[in-house]
Every structure is written in structure tokens, then in C-alpha cells.
Amino acid sequence: MHRRTVLKAGFGLAALPLMSRFTFAADQKPVSFWYESASPENQDNLKNILIDPFNAAHPEDLLSIDFRGSDLDKQLRVAMLAGTGPDVVFTAGPSYVAAMAQAGQLMPLDDYAKKYGWDERLLPLFLDLGRYNGKLYALAKTYETLGLFYNKTLFDQNKWKVPTTISDFEALADEMKAKGLTPFGAGNADWRPANEHYVSIAINSIAGPENVYKALTGAISWTDPAFVHSIDKLAEWWDKGYFGDNYFSLTLEQAFAQIASGQAGMAPTGTWNFTNVQTYFPQNNAEPGFVGFPSEKGDPIFALGIGSTLSINAKSGNADGAAAVLDYMFTDDYYSKMNSVWQGEWNLPLADLSKVKLSDKVLPLYEDAMKQLAGAVAAGKYGYTTWTFLPPATDTYLVSGMEEVWLKKTKSADFLKKLDETFKQERDAGKAPAVPPRT
């Protein structure tokens, strides 16, 4: 299960590992890799771009991928606690890494980083986010951002301008609603943590990234008036009907499809949805658009997220093989091939993309979005996604607590009070992910 999106999977194959076409040899050492869901097409992409070529280049190892679907997180926690599990550990983000590293379930990667030169090949910020107590435990599989997808064809027809401020954004949403459109293509039927996409958007675009950074580092509380205002605003959007009537019954993909069909006006969501653009926009003869999310001041906000991480099991029977798999993925060639067929899930944090060559079938919009995000990261002008920077129990409460605010079971201030208490407990217990200094 991906942290933010559910992909259509071949569930009948979920229990069977995807093996190489190469014959197993008695002296080969297996390398196991548990993955989330992937469509049949993307399972083939992993086989053709990762499994088969890796095994051909490393005849001493035999890589296999086991697709665990929506139960990956649960199954991984149980296995790791029992001292078993896969060699290559796929997690939903840094908040998981901190807890697993603290429990001694992950192997430090510093020696492998030195051996393979990862310190030079990967962006320093993402190496910092994979560290716990000064040691490197995880590499970011993909980095992403939240923004505003929209139907450019629909906007042109209605002579709508893409909003840059929160006030413009709200005015446009009101106009869409008056025309009978649902302002937001949104839903959480298949992934309840979709709730935190909107919390991340609100606190970064309304309270501002600087305040989020201060809260993450303990300089201010999550009960600060700036955050109360942000959550109040998110509740106001719910009350005004911006999320529509079917938020709890639409899947993430169904909600995004409404943007392409013109049933909804905008989708406040993440760059992982680029994987759905080609599925829905061409069949509706519509052109997609994507921008950084509007803000109070009018500057686009790019909240930084790590969609998932890759580590090595401390109990691995083939740690060297697992490290070789990681090294194989963090290359220009792999980046080029995988991003040419599967956008939004493999934006590896390579320091130099000058040698990356993407297929001419890749949307220029996707390339532009990734360049804007990379520029924001390089300039230190990025925001913070909750699933990347909050510790696990705090993040879990945020998901359920925001629903309680929307459904008027609690108030914004009370929600933030409990969030702050949970965060401080986890931070004091050493479970909070690393937060690099803001430049």
C-alpha cells in the first residue's frame, strides 16, 4: 500500500513473488523485496527494468519481488518484530524509519554509502532525512510534492485563471460550486490517510512553511494560532461543500478521474497522481494542468514529501545483495527507464539529472513539476508533508482527528492540543524523523 495512493493491482498474484526469467542456480543468494501494490503493467515494468537486468548483472544474487498490497505495512511490522521479513525493506516514509531504526530492525547503510558513493550521487537533504542518531538507515525511493491539479481545458472554456492566493482559490471554488461542479476531486474510500494530504496543504499554505518548521523543531506548539486558523479554514472548506458529497465513498483514483471528466474543478493532491493523468485526460479530450499550491502571500507552496523509503533488514541473510539492489536503482539509467514508463512513483533524489533521458512520451508537465520541486528544495523554499516529518503515532492521530473536526465531533483547538501532546511524547522518546536545518 502506497502511503498516499492505491494502485490497481493483480491481487490474484499478490502472494506470489515476481521472479526473474533466469534459471536459479544452487550457489545464488536470494534477495527478497516486499513491495506495495502495482498494476499488472507496472509489475511488468519492475520485472523488465529491475529484476531481470539486475539478476543478469549480478549472477551471484537472485532478486525477487513479492507484492503485498494494502497489507504491506502491517505484515512488515509483524515480520520485523519477529526477526524475519524481506532483505530490502520498503517503508511508507521517514516516520517509520525512525521507529524501526530505534528498535534495531534496520541495518546502518553508512559503509555501503561509502562503498558505492551514495553521498556524492544523492541529494544531501534526502540523505539527512534517512538518518537516525547520526547513522544512515534509509534512502528515499521517491520524493514528491502536493499541489493543485486542474483541467486546463475546463479552465479555458470558463476563462478561469489559475489561483495563486488562498482568497483567489476560495473565490474560484465558490464559482465552481455555483456552476454545479464539485470544487475538489477528493476521496478517501481506499486510503483514509488521504485526509493528511489536505492537512499538509492547509498548514503549509496558510500557516506557512516557516511555522511548520518551528513546530517540528519544538520552537512553537502545534496549538499556535496560525495552525488553529489553518485547521479552521480546512473545516470551513468542508462545510462549504468543496469536498463534495462523496468524499468517504470515492477512491483516490475515482476522485482524480473527476477532474479529467469535468465533474470536479480542481484536485488538491500530490505528484503521484501523474501516474493517472494519461489514463483519464486523453479519453476526455482534456489537457491537464499542475501548479504549486496557492498561499496566503501568493507564492506557490511545494510541500516536500518522501513517498517511500528503502532500507536493509538488520537480520538480512544477504545484506550485500540487498545493497547492490539499492545501488542498481539509484542510477541515471534506471531513473531514465522507470520514469519513462511510470511517472510519479520513482522520482529518485539523484544529485545530477543531466544524464537522465526520458521518453518523448513523458508529459512535459511532469518534467516541469519535478524541476520546480527540485528548485524549491535547492533554494530551501519548501514545505513539509505530515507523513514525512511527523512521528508515527502523531501522524496516525492526525488522520482520524481531522475527520472528527470535519464531522464536528471535536474542535480545531482540541484536535491540535491532542496532536501536540502526542508529538511531544514521541519527540521526547526519540521517535521523530530528522528535520534538516532550514536555509
Side-chain angles (χ1 to χ4, degrees):
M1 176 67 173
H2 198 282
R3 183 64 175 163
R4 297 139 320 280
T5 186
V6 183
L7 302 177
K8 292 178 289 188
F11 290 109
L13 302 176
L16 300 176
L18 196 60
M19 304 291 291
S20 169
R21 60 182 171 84
F22 295 95
T23 305
F24 177 79
D27 58 348
Q28 284 182 302
K29 295 181 179 179
V31 182
S32 56
F33 182 179
W34 291 3
Y35 202 80
E36 54 182 352
S37 299
S39 67
E41 178 184 2
N42 286 327
Q43 289 187 24
D44 286 343
N45 288 331
L46 282 167
K47 183 177 187 300
N48 296 331
I49 299 174
L50 177 57
I51 298 174
D52 285 351
F54 173 83
N55 287 336
H58 298 81
E60 70 279 11
D61 297 311
L62 184 67
L63 171 64
S64 64
I65 295 181
D66 192 352
F67 295 92
R68 295 291 174 129
S70 60
D71 288 332
L72 172 62
D73 290 343
K74 183 189 302 182
Q75 292 177 5
L76 187 62
R77 283 196 295 269
V78 172
M80 300 294 276
L81 283 170
T84 59
D87 298 297
V88 178
V89 178
F90 178 113
T91 82
S95 64
Y96 288 75
V97 172
M100 294 172 78
Q102 186 182 49
Q105 297 169 348
L106 301 179
M107 180 178 292
L109 302 177
D110 302 271
D111 289 343
Y112 290 120
K114 183 177 181 180
K115 174 183 177 180
Y116 288 114
W118 293 341
D119 289 345
E120 290 75 38
R121 283 162 50 193
L122 305 183
L123 290 168
L125 171 66
F126 294 95
L127 289 169
D128 289 343
L129 289 171
R131 291 192 171 97
Y132 177 77
N133 281 349
K135 293 183 178 181
L136 180 65
Y137 285 96
L139 303 181
K141 168 183 169 282
T142 186
Y143 71 105
E144 59 205 7
T145 192
L146 291 159
L148 190 66
F149 277 94
Y150 63 98
N151 184 324
K152 188 175 184 299
T153 304
L154 181 67
F155 270 53
D156 290 344
Q157 290 171 351
N158 287 277
K159 295 182 171 54
W160 289 333
K161 293 183 179 180
V162 178
T164 57
T165 66
I166 294 297
S167 59
D168 289 343
F169 173 73
E170 292 176 320
L172 179 57
D174 289 337
E175 186 174 346
M176 290 175 174
K177 197 164 186 304
K179 286 180 174 288
L181 299 175
T182 301
F184 297 170
N188 78 344
D190 57 343
W191 186 232
R192 194 184 186 194
N195 300 345
E196 67 180 318
H197 304 168
Y198 309 105
V199 176
S200 293
I201 283 171
I203 61 177
N204 283 281
S205 289
I206 299 173
E210 293 80 8
N211 280 326
V212 179
Y213 174 76
K214 289 177 182 178
L216 290 170
T217 55
I220 63 174
S221 166
W222 289 106
T223 59
D224 188 272
F227 298 121
V228 176
H229 174 57
S230 300
I231 300 303
D232 280 344
K233 182 62 71 174
L234 194 53
E236 179 186 322
W237 294 348
W238 181 275
D239 292 341
K240 292 176 74 172
Y242 290 178
F243 288 85
D245 298 326
N246 300 308
Y247 180 76
F248 296 116
S249 59
L250 286 174
T251 67
L252 300 180
E253 189 169 330
Q254 289 170 338
F256 187 80
Q258 290 187 326
I259 307 302
S261 68
Q263 294 171 269
M266 305 174 280
T269 185
T271 47
W272 53 87
N273 261 310
F274 272 104
T275 196
N276 291 319
V277 166
Q278 294 285 39
T279 303
Y280 294 103
F281 275 85
Q283 71 183 34
N284 285 284
N285 296 314
E287 181 181 353
F290 178 85
V291 293
F293 206 82
S295 68
E296 292 278 19
K297 297 179 180 179
D299 298 322
I301 299 295
F302 295 94
L304 176 63
I306 291 181
S308 47
T309 65
L310 300 169
S311 301
I312 298 177
N313 192 330
K315 301 293 185 180
S316 172
N318 188 7
D320 288 349
V325 171
L326 298 186
D327 186 64
Y328 188 89
M329 289 187 280
F330 288 86
T331 60
D332 300 327
D333 182 64
Y334 183 83
Y335 184 106
S336 299
K337 291 177 179 177
M338 191 59 84
N339 278 280
S340 290
V341 296
W342 191 355
Q343 293 89 50
E345 293 292 334
W346 289 95
N347 188 34
L348 300 158
L350 300 182
D352 181 9
L353 297 178
S354 62
K355 296 180 181 179
V356 166
K357 304 295 182 184
L358 298 182
S359 164
D360 56 10
K361 295 181 181 179
V362 175
L363 282 176
L365 183 66
Y366 173 73
E367 296 185 64
D368 290 344
M370 293 303 99
K371 287 178 182 178
Q372 289 185 68
L373 174 57
V377 170
K381 296 181 178 179
Y382 55 88
Y384 304 85
T385 56
T386 54
W387 61 87
T388 302
F389 292 94
L390 287 181
T394 307
D395 189 51
T396 298
Y397 170 67
L398 181 147
V399 170
S400 60
M402 191 61 233
E403 279 190 15
E404 293 178 353
V405 174
W406 279 332
L407 300 178
K408 301 192 182 306
K409 294 181 179 179
T410 191
K411 295 181 179 179
S412 299
D414 294 330
F415 160 61
L416 289 168
K417 182 175 183 293
K418 185 172 180 179
L419 185 82
D420 189 63
E421 291 170 352
T422 308
F423 174 76
K424 288 178 178 176
Q425 290 173 359
E426 289 196 286
R427 187 189 63 198
D428 292 345
K431 295 181 179 180
V435 183
R438 191 166 180 83
T439 57

